[in-house]
Amino acid sequence: MGKVQVGTGPFARRPDNSAFKQQRLPAWSPSLTPYTVLPVFYLLAVVCVLLGVWLFITVENTHELKVDYTEEGTCIRCFELRKDPIQARNSCDCVVNFNIPKTFPGDVFFYYGLVNFHQNLRRYMDSRDEDQLVGRKKSLKSPSSYCEPFAHDEHGEPIAPCGAIANSMFNDSFTLTYHPPDGAEVPVPLYRRGITWYTDKNVKFRNPPTNTTLQLAFQGTAQPLFWQQPVYELDPADPSNNGFINDDLIVWMREAAFPNFKKLYGILIRAETPFSEGLPAGNYSVNIIYNFPVQYFQGRKEVVLSTVSWFGGQNHFLPIAYLVTGGLIFIAAIVLTVVYVKVGRDGKNMEE
Amino acid sequence: FLCRLISTLIFIKKLCSCSVSVCVCVCVCVCVCVCSLQADLLLLSSSEPHGLCYIETAELDGETNMKVRQSLSVTSELGDPNNLAQFDGEVVCEPPNNKLDRFCGTLYWKDCKYGLSNQNMLLRGCVLRNTESCYGLVIFAGPDTKLMQNSGRTKFKRTSIDRLMNTLVLWIFGFLVCMGVILAIGNAVWEREVGFLFQSYLPWDPPVDNFLFSAFLSFWSYVIILNTVVPISLYVSVEVIRLCHSYFINWDRRMFCNRSNTAAEARSTTLNEELGQVEYIFSDKTGTLTQNIMTFNKCSINGHPCTVDFLLFKMFTWNPLADRDFRFYDASLLEAVKVGEPAVHEFFRVLSLCHTVMSEEKSEGELYYKAQSPDEGALVTAARNFGFVFRSRTPGTITTQELGKAVTYTLLAILDFNNIRKRMSVIVRNPEGRIRLYCKGADTVLFERLHSCCQDLMNITSDHLNECAGDGLRTLALAYRDLSEEQWAEWAERYRGAEKATDCREDHLAAAYEEIEQDMMLLGATAIEDKLQEGVPETIAILSLANIKIWVLTGDKQETAVNIGYSCKMLTDDMTEVFIINGHTVQSVREDLRLVHRSIYLSTSPVFLHISSFLSPAAHIGVGISGQEGIQAVLASDYSFSQFRFLQRLLLVHGRWSYLRMCRFLCYFFYKNFAFTMVHFWFGFFCGFSAQTVYDQYFITLYNIVYTSLPVLAMGIFDQDVPEQRSLEYPKLYEPGQLNLLFNKREFFICIAQGIYTSVVLFFIPYGTLSQATQSNGVVLADYQTFAVTTATALVIVVSVQISLDTGFWTAINHFFVWGSLTAYFTILFTMHSSVLFNIFPKQFHFLGSAHNTLAQPVVWLTIALATVICIAPVLAFRFLKLDLKPQLADTVRRLITTLNKKKNKSVYQRIQGRINTQILIQMLSRIWFHQMFLKYFLASSVQFHTLTKS
């Protein structure tokens, strides 16, 4: 044990008289008293309820529409077709009609949604190679072993991008069409950029460095097994959106935390009428190139249209949770007050 | 100082040969140096006359006075190494044993047989004093020595919290396995129903050919992921906290004794919180409660009581050999001595002859006595001051100076003191040739052996003795017996026979002693005072109020013991029944103790604390008083200080705080680990039981060691519920520790439940919010990394708020650690998610940008706030209800302090004060009722234990 220094003099061994050693440090010792706890409870209740109401009003002003197109309309044909693995490569188009009862004002976002698709499985999430996706040449040609069995194709060529996540990329594509009550149908213009995190697009995903074409940069690699085109041809319309920095790929590669999820597909371009105010009410149809099979894992596919407010899209959970919490805290506050006044020893008994 | 070896050489005569019961040894003849001995020796000769050898046995029995050992007269002449080389005796002795005070053997040499006793032995661990050198025969060495035989296996002392903690950790381990099994079953079902179908996107690993094997792997994965419920860092943190508490004990100025310049010392760092749970104190009286400074206070000579008169204090100018510090003076007694009253003379002659004190005369008139027990010293000093000066002794003689006249008595026999005899006698022949036996001892024993003609005197003396005992003095009766030459010769024969007996020598000797100590004439009685230490009554009163039961072990007369009990407030008049065990034999004491022990164990499993100046290692906690009786007690103790009164501070302040802090620490520690880990469990149900973690790997690594360790450590080290002076003011505050209220299985389950509740909230609130949410730019928030960051941040904030609620004493250090942990969390989070690190190690830091993206979202902060409120509000409500409906004494005292500090109005203070008193009264009454129900003998809150073990 710590021996006090041995010295001379009568009090040589006497311990120091410091506040620390004598355990007399100045300190604040708060204690729960009715005068602090009860106001805190009432305040919390009021804050929660007010927040809840405010959020609720905000959420009520947002709109969302979900269309499950798995077996909807003409898609039933494609659905049946995709059941057969031999027909996997055959393309299949279908159309689903739906109606927007009220105008979606402001910015409208177009999502695709998947139900019962587990992007959060440990092995699935591990099955990617960050080194490859950031464009490192070495990893491009020799993908991480985590990507197995999607690291090399049957000829031994390295797959880029490797791994189960990239391999299972969602590959349905959509064209939205507005059917005004009078006149010809109008295609709804969707902006397919800006649907990713800035850091993903600019730091996390980079194409392999090249002086020539992207195709040459990816030379010697194979496309993922389930893909219909190589990674450098993902977007035929925009050459700058190809390779690892393709927005759809980046969106897909950001794994969802839960098995039911939606992912951003496009944003309504509000440059021209009739969409300058948002999506007008009326009939719509969505043309789908139906590639992604979901019947194997009993999944569903859907299209989601949504507007956002300051805190995001439609989300009823948060306001309701706040309201319920506020209510419960209010009840608790009343109970505590009653207990304090009627039963508590600090309350009435004290006054007697 | 250096060992001074006179000569090292020596030779081996014969090797040891041991039979089962008797050991025959003639081993090595060693000359010993002036340092501690390394083997048990038979003393053969020494540099001092008569083969005497002075030793100190502090290492063996803790007594610091000098003791004398003497070689057999036949061997004492063998001073020369050459003669010693010729020595070829043979020793037959008892087998090695651990009895320090007895030895039984026989030396066969030159066809003669010599009895050996403990008086001839030098045991391992002794230190030679005042002796140049000596020669001895090794009897036992190494593990056979009495010292080693006594060193039993050291028992590892653990606190009750430690034992509970070990059980709980085992339970948690079981819980971990259960969770693993549940999740593995879940995995089996999931892989069979869903994963099997999902194989086109995520094929099973080649070795995993079916769902059962996958479940097996999943079990182990989950055991690894969830292992954070088994708090590995707990043990380290607990030890750190205990170490700090020990330092606080060492540093306490209020446990520092100015007079002896010693600070309190925590010699064990593992028992601190046990100090807050003490229920029974076993205490020595002499040297622990008292100062162990004996003063001759009263005497009764031939039926005449003589009392102290300090005012008349004067130097004994007529006696040049008087001790100048002596403080007994009675004019009439002095007169009587001078006049030459025979009874008075005889009285002091007993005192000057019948003892085992050693004297040392550095220069003429400068006498120093070295006594085995301080009371003996006090008596001899008293005789000295009344003119009967004991000057020196040799094995066969005692030289005294009686009223200025030197007298040499021939010492015929010393009939030793022991616990059973409770008396000692000497048989001397005075210069006139008359043989007389002088005896002093406990009155109960002595009175039985008096001549019938002393009946009247005995009654008078007995009254005086009781009076003295009533004053708390230690009493002894004195007697003598005249022996004729024939009686002596006859008895001496038997005595020698008994001395030579090889087996049961003690019994033979005791029987021989018994024979001669009969028909004695009573001379009178002495009374010695051993003053109580400063502050003892107050300390005992406070400890009794704290519901600690105190047992005192003493060798005094029962009246003395009871009186001491009253004077140190251990006994009070309103105690209806005091339990005194008065044992006359070891057997009966043991029997009584067993009875009491059983009744103690019936009620609870209490914590025993043993405070003493001579310690047994069997107590749960040993507290040593470093002072008069050497350092054995200190060495064997867990805590040591120099004044008994420091015990109240050790228990009521340090012990109480340690217990409180440890309990709060443990509760929080289990809570935070469960809150952290169980989130993985809930996530398992959403990620196909695939052992995916909720948090980033770095968060998992750093959570326990960086983000949450220091605030709780600070609480465990610095927390105080009430200031120290309050816990001395209201000793009842000590009770929760004794009743084990602050941390037990129930409290543990409450912590666990709270932890699991928190984990549910921390998982499902972000789940509910984020699974739907998008950013205001439309990007979905339900990605894994956002969820991980949100949950982790919410967790760190919730546990920080919780530790803030638990901390009752916010020092600057607490503030620094709590705020520092939060700052550290955010700093590390942003660093780990920065692009700098990602560009170097993309695989390791793939959470790039998550912190910025997530924490910039208002919805994330709304989620964290909601989760915090839902986690903390119920805790707050329950604590408030508990405080309101069932306030603990500590809460009330705290309120009182707050009120006092604010000085709002005096009436509130008085009312609360009244309530505290009522509360204490109610608690005391309920305790008493409890005791009546369960422990018939235990009505009194203090118990006196009386047996004679020491003179």
Side-chain angles (χ1 to χ4, degrees), chain A residues 38-61:
Chain A
L38 293 180
V40 162
F41 265 80
Y42 282 109
L43 193 74
L44 267 182
V46 169
V47 168
C48 284
V49 168
L50 287 181
L51 254 178
V53 169
W54 184 32
L55 292 179
F56 195 78
I57 292 168
T58 317
V59 166
E60 282 303 292
N61 287 330

Side-chain angles (χ1 to χ4, degrees), chain A residues 52-99:
Chain A
V53 169
W54 184 32
L55 292 179
F56 195 78
I57 292 168
T58 317
V59 166
E60 282 303 292
N61 287 330
T62 58
H63 304 267
E64 192 178 75
L65 183 89
K66 274 185 188 171
V67 180
D68 184 329
Y69 68 88
T70 324
E71 300 166 82
E72 236 358 80
T74 54
C75 288
I76 184 83
R77 187 179 59 81
C78 298
F79 181 73
E80 296 298 333
L81 186 76
R82 291 284 169 257
K83 270 186 182 171
D84 185 1
I86 302 155
Q87 304 276 344
R89 298 274 165 186
N90 294 357
S91 75
C92 178
D93 293 13
C94 61
V95 180
V96 172
N97 297 311
F98 61 95
N99 177 268

